[in-house]
Every structure is written in structure tokens, then in C-alpha cells.
């Protein structure tokens, strides 16, 4: 991490566990001060206590499912006179089940958290990142953004594809202003994600080679955005798989996704 970036704060959403907490730990090890936000304030405070001996850690509890949360978060950052130089849009979850098995209110909260909140937060903080001359944005997307959507996760792949396309556009628009933007697209990663979606039992049956550690994913993201990569796929197996899949006809890919979805449902 260069000295300029080390002077600004890294704002990490969804920092209470999993990939978000690991971003906090790795940035702290690099000497980058932190702003941690998530719903579960007690977890944020515990993580802040863990890292306080390394860097300054600011905790701002917010639920980004609330449409007013991004504006409140920006206002509190400004009130504390903090300067954000790195933005990690990480907060997220999955909604298991086919589209009509869930009320629209569930889907609306999901879209707010996964699409609207990171888009608005980026819009609100981008002027500071530009002013710094060396801003960085990591949008935690998914390998799901690179393949057809799955049966039973109707809005997940579209939301992650949104983050990927937004990262590409922002990179084109602001790279010449010193802002590096990347979409981090990991495959299956050990975290609480599958506990939240209720799919832990099915996922545990997958072969060990498909799983990535949070440490591996975060390291790839930090190094990738520093190098100016717009698309970062952690793990050589997933990078190889992407190179194969991107050359297959869409009809084949859809059949593969259908077969994979049936297998997962049958194991549930």
C-alpha cells in the first residue's frame, strides 16, 4: 500500500463477518485506518477492539437495506471529518427459493442492499476519491456475475452482474482521475453466507477444490485494485474455468446451470 493511500480511511460495508471482516484485518495489517459499517454493532465493536492496536478504527452502525442509510453514513463520516480513500462495497446476502416463493418486500430489500446502496454510496463518496488522486473502489461481486443466473437464486446473479458492469463503467470514466475500480468475483468462499441463505448442508457436499478462503479472496482484491485490474477472479481454478465458459454457447451454459440447479435441489 502506498503512503498516499495509507493516509485515507478504508470504508468497508458488511464488515461484521466473513469477507468484510477479512478486508478489515488485511487493510489494518497494511496500516490503513478503517471505517466499519454493518447492522450488527456488537460484532463491529469486537472487530474494532481487535484491530485498534494497529490502526484507528471508526464504527458506524447502519443497515443498508434502509434507503436513507447511504446518506446518513456519508453525513456521519463528514461529521467526524474522516477522509475516505478506499471504498469496499461488500455488504450482501442471497435470497434462496424461486422468485414467486418470496414476497416482493423481500426482493425489494435485497435490491436495495445489493444494487441501490452500493451505487448510491459510490456516487456520494466518489468526489472524495477523485480529490485524493489515488482512490480505490472494490465492488465485491461474484463468479455468478460471469455465468447465467441459477434456478433458485433469481436476483443474485443479476445484482452481481450490475456491480461488475458498474465497475467497468466507473473504471473507464475515472481511471484518468486516479481512481482504480475493480469487481472482485470470487467463487464459493467459506463464510456465513450459506448459513444465512439456509443452504449450508447442500454446499457442504461440494468438493473441497471449489472452496476459497476469505483470506485468499481479500488478498486478491487488494492486490488487484492496486494493480489497476478491473476484473479480479481469485483462484487459478476459477480463472481457468472462466476462460473455458466464456467460449461456450449460451444455450450450453443454460443447460449446465439447469442441471446444476436440479442437483442442488435434490440434495436439499
Amino acid at each position: 500500500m502506498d503512503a498516499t493511500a495509507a493516509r485515507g480511511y478504508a470504508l468497508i460495508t458488511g464488515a461484521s463477518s466473513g469477507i468484510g471482516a477479512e478486508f478489515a484485518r488485511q487493510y489494518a495489517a497494511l496500516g490503513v485506518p478503517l471505517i466499519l459499517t454493518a447492522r450488527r454493532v456488537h460484532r463491529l465493536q469486537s472487530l474494532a477492539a481487535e484491530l485498534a492496536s494497529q490502526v484507528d478504527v471508526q464504527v458506524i452502525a447502519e443497515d443498508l437495506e434502509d434507503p436513507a442509510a447511504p446518506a446518513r453514513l456519508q453525513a456521519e463520516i463528514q461529521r467526524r471529518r474522516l477522509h475516505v480513500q478506499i471504498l469496499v462495497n461488500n455488504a450482501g446476502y442471497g435470497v434462496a427459493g424461486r422468485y414467486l416463493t418470496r414476497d416482493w418486500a423481500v426482493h425489494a430489500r435485497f435490491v436495495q442492499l445489493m444494487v441501490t446502496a452500493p451505487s448510491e454510496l459510490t456516487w456520494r463518496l466518489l468526489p472524495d476519491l477523485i480529490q485524493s488522486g489515488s482512490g480505490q473502489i472494490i465492488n465485491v461481486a461474484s463468479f455468478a456475475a460471469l455465468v447465467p443466473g441459477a434456478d433458485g437464486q433469481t436476483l443474485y446473479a443479476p445484482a452481481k452482474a450490475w456491480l461488475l458492469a458498474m465497475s467497468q463503467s466507473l473504471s473507464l470514466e475515472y481511471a484518468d482521475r486516479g481512481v482504480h475500480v475493480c469487481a472482485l468475483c470470487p467463487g464459493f468462499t467459506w463464510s456465513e453466507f450459506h448459513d444465512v441463505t439456509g443452504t449450508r448442508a447442500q454446499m457442504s457436499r461440494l468438493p473441497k477444490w471449489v472452496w476459497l478462503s476469505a483470506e485468499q479472496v481479500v488478498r486478491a482484491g487488494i492486490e488487484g485494485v492496486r494493480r489497476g485490474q478491473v476484473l479480479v477472479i481469485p483462484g487459478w481454478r476459477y480463472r481457468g474455468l472462466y476462460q473455458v465458459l466464456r467460449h461456450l454457447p449460451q444455450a450450453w451454459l443454460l443447460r449446465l446451470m439447469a442441471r446444476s440447479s436440479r442437483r442442488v435441489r435434490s440434495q436439499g
Side-chain angles (χ1 to χ4, degrees), residues 42 92 117 243:
H42 64 286
Q243 292 302 322

Side-chain angles (χ1 to χ4, degrees), residues 209-257:
W209 72 262
V210 307
W211 291 99
L212 302 167
S213 69
E215 293 88 347
Q216 181 182 4
V217 169
V218 170
R219 188 180 311 112
I222 291 175
E223 293 176 354
V225 75
R226 185 168 52 187
R227 290 194 299 265
Q229 291 179 249
V230 180
L231 172 62
V232 175
I233 303 174
W236 65 267
R237 289 184 177 88
Y238 279 103
R239 289 192 292 273
L241 180 60
Y242 171 63
Q243 292 302 322
V244 172
L245 294 179
R246 65 197 293 257
H247 295 295
L248 293 180
Q250 280 291 302
W252 290 15
L253 288 175
L254 286 169
R255 284 197 291 271
L256 285 172
M257 292 303 295

Side-chain angles (χ1 to χ4, degrees), residues 6 11 13 33 72 96 110 159 162 167 176 182 192 228 235 238 247 263:
L11 169 60
T13 71
R72 282 199 306 263
F110 175 84
W162 173 286
S167 301
D176 63 348
C182 91
E192 293 181 3
Y238 279 103
H247 295 295
R263 186 181 306 117

